[in-house]
Amino acid sequence: LETQGGRDSRVSDLMTLLKPYKLDGLYGKYFNLPSSIDPTAQLVVLELGGIEGNSDLLQPVLFSLINTISQKMYLSDRSLRKLCVIDEAWALLSGDNPMAASFIEKGFRTSRKHGGSFVTITQSIEDYYQDECAKACWTNSDIKIIMRQNDEALKAFMARNTSHFSDYELRILRQF
């Protein structure tokens, strides 16, 4: 790209930043080979545990997944039922990754009108009270399945949220 004064230095900077993602770059195999995900599959499971400690790789992979899921969720036939399940969602709801948190919140707020649903799985109810995105997921969820909680954590939660569960619901939770 040329500017009035000559070469645009941003092009060089961009090329430097993209170098690890080129075919012969450190992460090239992740972004330049054909996808192994079958686009006609009715169920796709993605495990990101192997890259969670590598933010240089995790960020673009998450961006790619968010883009793909969004296209399937919002641009496909509305009569086709779709479900996005996110396990260990606390890691994405925490606000450390605003792009992922915004994607999940949008999913909880808008996927129903596109024939879709979003599900998040966490270990603690507290995860839904950590920030505004997580609270939005909780309040925009029609169905909540709550399994046994750590006794001490449940007591602490109820001390702060006295009317969250009825006595009956608490008895059931404690019997799991």
Side-chain angles (χ1 to χ4, degrees):
L1 291 176
E2 296 286 328
T3 63
Q4 290 178 350
R7 253 186 98 81
D8 188 339
S9 65
R10 294 176 296 173
V11 173
S12 176
D13 294 342
L14 185 58
M15 293 305 294
T16 300
L17 291 172
L18 292 176
K19 189 174 183 176
Y21 306 100
K22 290 176 35 184
L23 187 58
D24 61 346
L26 182 61
Y27 307 124
K29 66 181 179 183
Y30 295 103
F31 297 98
N32 295 289
L33 298 177
S35 174
S36 60
I37 298 173
D38 179 358
T40 63
Q42 291 188 350
L43 175 67
V44 176
V45 177
L46 304 167
E47 173 58 54
L48 302 180
I51 63 170
E52 65 187 346
N54 185 340
S55 64
D56 287 344
L57 187 54
L58 184 61
Q59 289 295 82
V61 167
L62 277 176
F63 179 78
S64 178
L65 289 173
I66 287 170
N67 184 47
T68 301
I69 294 166
S70 294
Q71 287 179 7
K72 295 286 186 186
M73 185 66 70
Y74 305 117
L75 301 178
S76 65
D77 183 355
R78 288 185 183 207
S79 66
L80 177 66
R81 297 293 170 220
K82 300 159 285 259
L83 178 66
C84 178
V85 180
I86 303 168
D87 192 12
E88 300 295 344
W90 60 268
L92 298 175
L93 292 173
S94 67
D96 293 343
N97 188 324
M99 176 185 59
S102 175
F103 163 73
I104 295 169
E105 181 177 349
K106 178 184 178 188
F108 271 88
R109 291 183 183 275
T110 64
S111 63
R112 281 180 280 217
K113 68 182 177 185
H114 296 275
S117 297
F118 267 65
V119 174
T120 51
I121 303 169
T122 69
Q123 299 297 318
S124 172
I125 296 169
E126 290 284 358
D127 293 332
Y128 293 101
Y129 289 86
Q130 300 301 316
D131 64 15
E132 293 306 312
C133 170
K135 287 177 190 171
C137 293
W138 181 268
T139 58
N140 284 282
S141 178
D142 283 345
I143 299 170
K144 298 169 184 73
I145 300 173
I146 302 166
M147 304 302 278
R148 188 174 199 283
Q149 300 288 299
N150 174 287
D151 289 333
E152 292 304 315
L154 184 58
K155 285 178 190 174
F157 176 80
M158 289 307 297
R160 290 185 304 281
N161 303 282
T162 55
S163 62
H164 190 81
F165 293 116
S166 69
D167 289 338
Y168 174 73
E169 290 169 326
L170 276 173
R171 269 196 321 274
I172 291 175
L173 274 175
R174 289 183 175 128
Q175 288 178 7
F176 279 115

